[in-house]
Amino acid sequence: MCGIVGYIGESEAAPILLEGLSKLEYRGYDSAGIAVYNGTAIEMIKSRGRLKVLNELTHGGASLPGRAGIGHTRWATHGSPSDSNAHPHFNGDNSIVVVHNGIIENYLKLKKKLEAKGYEFVSETDTEVIAHLLDYYYDGNPLEAIAKIMYRVEGSYALGIMFEDHPREVYAVRKDSPLIVGKSEKGNFIASDVPAILKYTRDVYFMENEEIVCLNKEDVTFYNIDEEVLVKTPVTIEWDIAAAEKGGYEFFMLKEMYEQPKAVSDTLMPRLKNGDIVIEELQMTEEEIRDIRKIYLVACGSAYHTAVTAKYVFEGLARVPVEVDLASEFRYRNPIFEPGTLVIIISQSGETADSLAALREAQKHGCKVLGIVNVVGSSIAREADTVMYTWAGPEIAVATTKAYSTQLIVHYLLALKFAKVRGKVNDIKFREMIEDLKRLPEQIELLLANKEKIQRFANRYLAAEHVFFIGRGIDYAISLEGSLKLKEISYIHSEAYAAGELKHGTISLIEDGTLVTAVLTQDHLFKKTISNVVEVKTRGAFVLAVAHAGNAEIEKTADYVIYLPKTNEYFTNSLAVIPLQLFAYYVSLGKGLDVDKPRNLAKSVTVE
Ligand code: F6R
């Protein structure tokens, strides 16, 4: 996720910006840049690569003298990681400069309008639209121009802005992307996160949505979108740097779980337009979508588990046959590629060796490959014929959470789009399902709020040796993920079983007190899975059930129940995964393990 730092005060700005950006490195980035007002003009230096490169280019900041500036570390979303896509971005005559964190959903529309008015773009970013739009509305009053663009821009943003003809001011504004303001004797700051400015001040204002701030050397003034002055109270930050990097959370995994509502919304909302699903990057005509005869979903680990869910969704909704493959198997099993086969490779990192090899194998046989990838410009993103990005932001904990959740969203969007184009879903159902999708972020938030209850439950199982996860259909798919989450970070052996399969062998492992997690979100399978719950109960299992609110019947059989808010039967995994992630997290935490870095595991598996 991008990082923003801005400073205006008595000291040289560039070294402070570089130092601040270095404290945001943990958020992940692929390029960086700074812009400083040098007394007559705004000068900018930016580059692809690590901050070390920017440090060398600016001689530790010395080559950009001046006491007001903004800086940025970029995690690519629109446009590959490159010098020209790095921030800051200028308007046409370099008199307005902008850094941005977030996603401008209507940037293509705005870009077309601006181009028609003669504006020229030099990058592929959504951010550059902001610089030109500000230029369009700017009439000598920065506040007015900022308020005007806020009415035009859709999406999420935290912006740092400087105007050459207001050199004693730095502006910032936020909507749905974090931004803080720091105040000190020697100058004032903006930053996307506390660690960037902790060295200079602990007095911080947390900006709310649609608030604008104007910093000068001595003071900070807040405004609402109507340009009225707001009175805000600073808070004193007590965290140390390590805690601040994690936003006050004990581990990145917990922080990332809490980022899921936003990650899901960022991945979903830009693709919903006027009651329809618009996936510009898919580059497939309706005829091509109708001509799909078969889909291969190929991935590793948790990404593979999203594919298992997606098989049920694609087949159920769009009625397209789907095969799901582990990438490490697919690449060697000589699969049959027939005309009309679409291969979808799913990967957070975009660098997983087996997934990349599977992609190449499919392309060798003339198949079109669609990548579902989180890291922009990664190998899979570059080599796939088309890419749909998950906009989860960088994931630092080894065990994936928010990337998993955003991959599910992309599957739903594709399946529902295909279903509509192929005439398998009527308009009413389609609209209902879009509404269900839109509700997911707040439903996820609700489930996250339940964390204490799950922590108490998890603390009872710190000494468990074996745990089983069972479910049918889509509930089986989420059982796979729940089981992987638990075993990889808690080192407790766990297995996921299709609930009906348990009695074909594994049930012999159930003993008195064995924890069995049963997922029962599918109404048409509810009674069937209840029978399997009864089977394990009779053999002494303790059953934790995950079911929809309203299915209180489960309480007669299970020992402990976690209820999920109601959503469409195809989308339940987006909700069921939350308590399972929390359970795994709290078992690992309770055992005193390094939740973020489980033994023997790497975040990006670039070897076979
Ligand atoms: C588990 C986990 C892994 C990854 C797998 C694929 O929590 O993170 O199972 O899902 O290694 O990685 P990507 O998605 O980067 O291809």
Side-chain angles (χ1 to χ4, degrees):
M1 229 168 323
C2 308
I4 289 177
V5 186
Y7 170 76
I8 184 162
E10 288 172 8
S11 310
E12 283 299 293
I16 291 178
L17 299 177
L18 290 168
E19 162 81 19
L21 291 177
S22 76
K23 294 287 177 282
L24 298 178
E25 278 193 297
Y26 72 92
R27 295 161 69 95
Y29 68 103
D30 49 59
S31 48
I34 54 177
V36 176
Y37 179 74
N38 68 9
T40 45
I42 301 171
E43 273 190 285
M44 170 177 82
I45 297 183
K46 59 185 185 173
S47 155
R48 182 182 175 170
R50 311 303 293 169
L51 273 176
K52 191 167 162 280
V53 179
L54 188 64
N55 255 304
E56 280 163 16
L57 288 173
T58 60
H59 301 99
S63 45
L64 285 183
R67 296 182 175 182
I70 51 179
H72 190 266
T73 44
R74 174 173 188 252
W75 161 269
T77 57
H78 294 69
S80 56
S82 68
D83 290 355
S84 56
N85 288 337
H87 298 211
H89 288 281
F90 271 130
N91 64 337
D93 65 3
N94 296 6
S95 59
I96 302 174
V97 70
V98 176
V99 290
H100 167 219
N101 180 5
I103 294 171
I104 307 299
E105 289 169 11
N106 59 340
Y107 87 102
L108 278 177
K109 202 164 113 196
L110 292 171
K111 188 171 175 176
K112 269 190 208 133
K113 281 193 182 162
L114 287 162
E115 278 174 336
K117 291 185 196 304
Y119 283 92
E120 283 175 23
F121 284 74
V122 294
S123 78
E124 305 158 294
T125 62
D126 49 342
T127 307
E128 199 185 345
V129 160
I130 304 278
H132 294 306
L133 202 61
L134 279 167
D135 179 283
Y136 179 72
Y137 286 115
Y138 188 56
D139 213 359
N141 181 343
L143 196 58
E144 196 179 281
I146 293 170
K148 279 188 177 155
I149 69 151
M150 288 165 74
Y151 284 110
R152 308 276 166 322
V153 169
E154 290 163 21
S156 59
Y157 51 81
L159 299 169
I161 310 165
M162 285 180 17
F163 296 82
E164 190 187 74
D165 59 358
H166 283 257
R168 289 183 192 84
E169 288 158 5
V170 170
Y171 287 85
V173 57
R174 75 151 272 182
K175 181 178 160 271
D176 296 333
S177 266
L179 197 72
I180 58 155
V181 173
K183 196 167 182 326
S184 84
E185 295 287 296
K186 294 196 167 159
N188 298 314
F189 305 81
I190 53 166
S192 39
D193 211 347
V194 174
I197 59 171
L198 264 192
K199 183 170 166 187
Y200 308 101
T201 180
R202 288 184 171 271
D203 294 332
V204 164
Y205 299 85
F206 287 90
M207 286 183 71
E208 300 297 334
N209 271 350
E210 304 202 324
E211 285 181 356
I212 308 168
V213 65
C214 171
L215 317 182
N216 61 32
K217 215 163 89 173
E218 292 86 23
D219 220 342
V220 300
T221 315
F222 293 91
Y223 301 90
N224 63 18
I225 193 167
D226 298 323
E227 300 163 52
E228 294 158 345
V229 173
L230 299 172
V231 180
K232 284 177 76 77
T233 321
V235 292
T236 307
I237 299 291
E238 311 285 357
W239 310 327
D240 61 15
I241 280 272
E245 282 183 355
K246 294 175 192 136
Y249 293 98
E250 207 165 344
F251 282 98
F252 280 111
M253 184 178 168
L254 188 62
K255 176 169 183 270
E256 287 161 7
M257 284 192 269
Y258 270 79
E259 286 168 356
Q260 287 179 112
K262 180 168 186 315
V264 162
S265 167
D266 283 350
T267 304
L268 176 69
M269 296 311 287
R271 288 161 173 141
L272 300 182
K273 287 180 189 142
N274 306 322
D276 200 2
I277 296 173
V278 181
I279 311 174
E280 271 141 14
E281 63 271 48
L282 190 58
Q283 294 169 30
M284 281 177 93
T285 61
E286 297 209 338
E287 201 180 335
E288 284 170 322
I289 293 175
R290 276 192 288 271
D291 283 348
I292 298 172
R293 295 280 156 270
K294 179 183 185 171
I295 299 175
Y296 278 117
L297 296 172
V298 187
C300 302
S302 293
Y304 168 78
H305 296 157
T306 71
V308 179
T309 305
K311 176 181 166 70
Y312 293 100
V313 185
F314 274 109
E315 291 192 339
L317 278 175
R319 307 303 295 152
V320 194
V322 174
E323 274 194 55
V324 185
D325 270 86
L326 289 164
S328 53
E329 289 294 311
F330 184 84
R331 60 185 295 194
Y332 296 119
R333 81 165 169 86
N334 200 11
I336 298 162
F337 297 104
E338 285 171 337
T341 303
L342 172 67
V343 177
I344 304 183
I345 308 278
I346 308 120
S347 174
Q348 185 284 127
S349 63
E351 299 296 347
T352 302
D354 285 320
S355 304
L356 187 58
L359 175 154
R360 290 176 181 156
E361 182 67 18
Q363 281 178 336
K364 203 169 83 191
H365 289 85
C367 275
K368 183 181 166 93
V369 175
L370 165 66
I372 298 179
V373 180
N374 195 43
V375 179
V376 176
S378 57
S379 302
I380 293 175
R382 286 198 312 273
E383 293 193 27
D385 298 291
T386 50
V387 188
M388 274 182 79
Y389 284 110
T390 50
W391 286 312
E395 207 176 44
I396 294 162
V398 165
T400 183
T401 51
K402 59 177 180 165
Y404 172 92
S405 286
T406 53
Q407 286 163 0
L408 284 182
I409 296 296
V410 173
H411 290 309
Y412 302 156
L413 286 169
L414 279 170
L416 199 47
K417 177 82 192 170
F418 287 6
K420 187 164 182 230
V421 172
R422 295 164 73 97
K424 303 293 180 198
V425 61
N426 65 35
D427 286 352
I428 297 173
K429 191 77 201 155
F430 182 81
R431 275 199 297 276
E432 261 175 39
M433 292 183 80
I434 298 264
E435 290 311 308
D436 281 328
L437 284 175
K438 286 192 198 159
R439 271 191 290 275
L440 287 175
E442 70 188 68
Q443 293 178 322
I444 293 173
E445 218 159 323
L446 255 170
L447 287 162
L448 286 165
N450 214 4
K451 71 179 195 319
E452 273 85 21
K453 189 178 165 201
I454 294 173
Q455 181 170 22
R456 279 195 299 277
F457 183 81
N459 283 339
R460 289 156 55 178
Y461 283 92
L462 306 184
E465 286 183 13
H466 310 280
V467 177
F468 291 88
F469 290 77
I470 60 169
R472 288 169 180 258
I474 280 182
D475 293 337
Y476 167 56
I478 199 61
S479 300
L480 290 168
E481 178 60 6
S483 169
L484 176 60
K485 280 287 89 78
L486 179 68
K487 68 183 130 196
E488 67 180 333
I489 60 171
S490 75
Y491 315 148
I492 293 174
H493 166 244
S494 74
E495 282 195 55
Y497 260 82
E501 183 65 14
L502 205 63
K503 56 183 163 299
H504 297 285
T506 318
I507 204 159
S508 63
L509 295 173
I510 307 288
E511 299 173 333
D512 240 7
T514 306
L515 177 63
V516 175
T517 299
V519 187
L520 307 97
T521 68
Q522 304 294 298
D523 287 348
H524 67 294
L525 297 168
F526 188 75
K527 289 221 152 51
K528 298 279 167 205
T529 310
I530 291 259
S531 310
N532 304 123
V533 170
V534 172
E535 283 161 15
V536 296
K537 280 279 303 167
T538 12
R539 282 148 184 93
F542 185 95
V543 175
L544 162 69
V546 178
H548 276 310
N551 275 337
E553 198 190 326
I554 184 68
E555 287 177 25
K556 289 187 210 142
T557 326
D559 299 286
Y560 198 91
V561 185
I562 294 169
Y563 287 111
L564 307 175
K566 193 81 186 139
T567 184
N568 182 280
E569 58 182 346
Y570 289 111
F571 307 152
T572 55
N573 279 1
S574 289
L575 303 180
V577 75
I578 305 298
L580 302 186
Q581 289 171 345
L582 286 168
F583 176 65
Y585 173 81
Y586 282 117
V587 172
S588 176
L589 187 77
K591 290 179 79 168
L593 300 171
D594 185 346
V595 180
D596 286 338
K597 293 196 194 85
R599 68 188 179 206
N600 307 338
L601 286 174
K603 184 69 187 158
S604 181
V605 186
T606 52
V607 291
E608 248 195 85

